[in-house]
Amino acid sequence: LTAKHTLYFLSMLPYPDPEPSLNPSIADGPDLFPAVQLAVDHVNNRSDVLRDYHIELIETDGGCDISSKALISLVSQLFHSDKQIAGIIGPSCSESAEAVGA
């Protein structure tokens, strides 16, 4: 039995907004992370999918605005973490995706 390699994925989904009436576009944000975690759990529990790997999510707030919140989360994880990020899940809003993709 060999040890599994860990694949880290950065989850950039929005956290709950303290004032949802001001930013209704992220109302579903808090529901997205459990769905992503469920998918990861299914993959991790199967022996015929990525059998030599274990997936771990690193949860960050992707925000849902044109500000640099998502970009700051991304840079912080990529350059200030000892974990090598294999991929990014999110951001789920176009405003944040624009900042990250720029």
Side-chain angles (χ1 to χ4, degrees):
L1 187 68
T2 60
K4 291 188 172 193
H5 303 284
T6 301
L7 292 175
Y8 294 100
F9 283 84
L10 184 61
S11 171
M12 299 185 71
L13 302 173
Y15 286 170
D17 192 328
E19 297 187 48
S21 62
L22 298 177
N23 197 354
S25 64
I26 67 169
D28 295 331
D31 298 329
L32 296 175
F33 186 77
V36 171
Q37 184 63 60
L38 181 64
V40 167
D41 291 343
H42 281 290
V43 170
N44 284 337
N45 290 328
R46 293 194 48 173
S47 61
D48 61 332
V49 178
L50 297 174
R51 73 181 81 199
D52 295 331
Y53 297 92
H54 175 80
I55 299 173
E56 284 192 28
L57 292 175
I58 300 171
E59 184 179 2
T60 62
D61 186 0
C64 258
D65 53 37
I66 198 67
S67 77
S68 57
K69 182 186 245 184
L71 185 58
I72 290 169
S73 293
L74 174 65
V75 170
S76 175
Q77 286 300 320
L78 290 179
F79 297 107
H80 302 289
S81 174
D82 59 344
K83 298 173 180 150
Q84 190 170 7
I85 307 299
I88 299 171
I89 299 169
S92 61
C93 302
S94 57
E95 295 90 346
S96 299
E98 181 179 345
V100 170

PDB file of all heavy atoms in Angstrom, residues 2 12 19 30 77 80:
ATOM      1  N   THR A   2       0.740   2.093  -1.006  1.00  0.00           N
ATOM      2  CA  THR A   2       1.555   3.303  -1.100  1.00  0.00           C
ATOM      3  C   THR A   2       0.774   4.512  -0.587  1.00  0.00           C
ATOM      4  O   THR A   2      -0.457   4.544  -0.648  1.00  0.00           O
ATOM      5  CB  THR A   2       1.978   3.566  -2.560  1.00  0.00           C
ATOM      6  OG1 THR A   2       0.806   3.720  -3.361  1.00  0.00           O
ATOM      7  CG2 THR A   2       2.817   2.419  -3.097  1.00  0.00           C
ATOM      8  N   MET A  12     -12.454  29.279  -4.181  1.00  0.00           N
ATOM      9  CA  MET A  12     -12.659  30.723  -4.100  1.00  0.00           C
ATOM     10  C   MET A  12     -14.142  31.058  -4.250  1.00  0.00           C
ATOM     11  O   MET A  12     -14.563  31.745  -5.166  1.00  0.00           O
ATOM     12  CB  MET A  12     -11.834  31.432  -5.168  1.00  0.00           C
ATOM     13  CG  MET A  12     -10.356  31.208  -5.005  1.00  0.00           C
ATOM     14  SD  MET A  12      -9.409  32.157  -6.188  1.00  0.00           S
ATOM     15  CE  MET A  12      -9.654  33.804  -5.543  1.00  0.00           C
ATOM     16  N   GLU A  19     -24.541  41.938   4.704  1.00  0.00           N
ATOM     17  CA  GLU A  19     -25.686  42.743   4.279  1.00  0.00           C
ATOM     18  C   GLU A  19     -26.159  42.247   2.914  1.00  0.00           C
ATOM     19  O   GLU A  19     -25.919  42.895   1.896  1.00  0.00           O
ATOM     20  CB  GLU A  19     -25.308  44.213   4.219  1.00  0.00           C
ATOM     21  CG  GLU A  19     -24.918  44.787   5.568  1.00  0.00           C
ATOM     22  CD  GLU A  19     -24.713  46.282   5.501  1.00  0.00           C
ATOM     23  OE1 GLU A  19     -25.589  46.971   4.927  1.00  0.00           O
ATOM     24  OE2 GLU A  19     -23.683  46.743   6.011  1.00  0.00           O
ATOM     25  N   PRO A  30     -22.782  30.664   0.135  1.00  0.00           N
ATOM     26  CA  PRO A  30     -22.529  29.723   1.222  1.00  0.00           C
ATOM     27  C   PRO A  30     -22.976  28.295   0.916  1.00  0.00           C
ATOM     28  O   PRO A  30     -22.476  27.352   1.519  1.00  0.00           O
ATOM     29  CB  PRO A  30     -23.331  30.301   2.385  1.00  0.00           C
ATOM     30  CG  PRO A  30     -23.488  31.746   2.061  1.00  0.00           C
ATOM     31  CD  PRO A  30     -23.550  31.811   0.557  1.00  0.00           C
ATOM     32  N   GLN A  77      -2.583  32.651  -1.113  1.00  0.00           N
ATOM     33  CA  GLN A  77      -2.433  31.198  -1.116  1.00  0.00           C
ATOM     34  C   GLN A  77      -1.312  30.733  -2.040  1.00  0.00           C
ATOM     35  O   GLN A  77      -0.601  29.790  -1.728  1.00  0.00           O
ATOM     36  CB  GLN A  77      -3.745  30.520  -1.503  1.00  0.00           C
ATOM     37  CG  GLN A  77      -4.772  30.550  -0.411  1.00  0.00           C
ATOM     38  CD  GLN A  77      -4.308  29.846   0.845  1.00  0.00           C
ATOM     39  OE1 GLN A  77      -3.670  28.809   0.816  1.00  0.00           O
ATOM     40  NE2 GLN A  77      -4.622  30.435   1.980  1.00  0.00           N
ATOM     41  N   HIS A  80       2.191  32.617  -0.374  1.00  0.00           N
ATOM     42  CA  HIS A  80       2.483  32.627   1.054  1.00  0.00           C
ATOM     43  C   HIS A  80       2.064  31.327   1.727  1.00  0.00           C
ATOM     44  O   HIS A  80       1.808  31.301   2.923  1.00  0.00           O
ATOM     45  CB  HIS A  80       1.798  33.818   1.734  1.00  0.00           C
ATOM     46  CG  HIS A  80       2.210  35.131   1.153  1.00  0.00           C
ATOM     47  ND1 HIS A  80       3.468  35.663   1.334  1.00  0.00           N
ATOM     48  CD2 HIS A  80       1.551  36.010   0.368  1.00  0.00           C
ATOM     49  CE1 HIS A  80       3.561  36.812   0.704  1.00  0.00           C
ATOM     50  NE2 HIS A  80       2.410  37.050   0.107  1.00  0.00           N
TER      51      HIS A  80
END
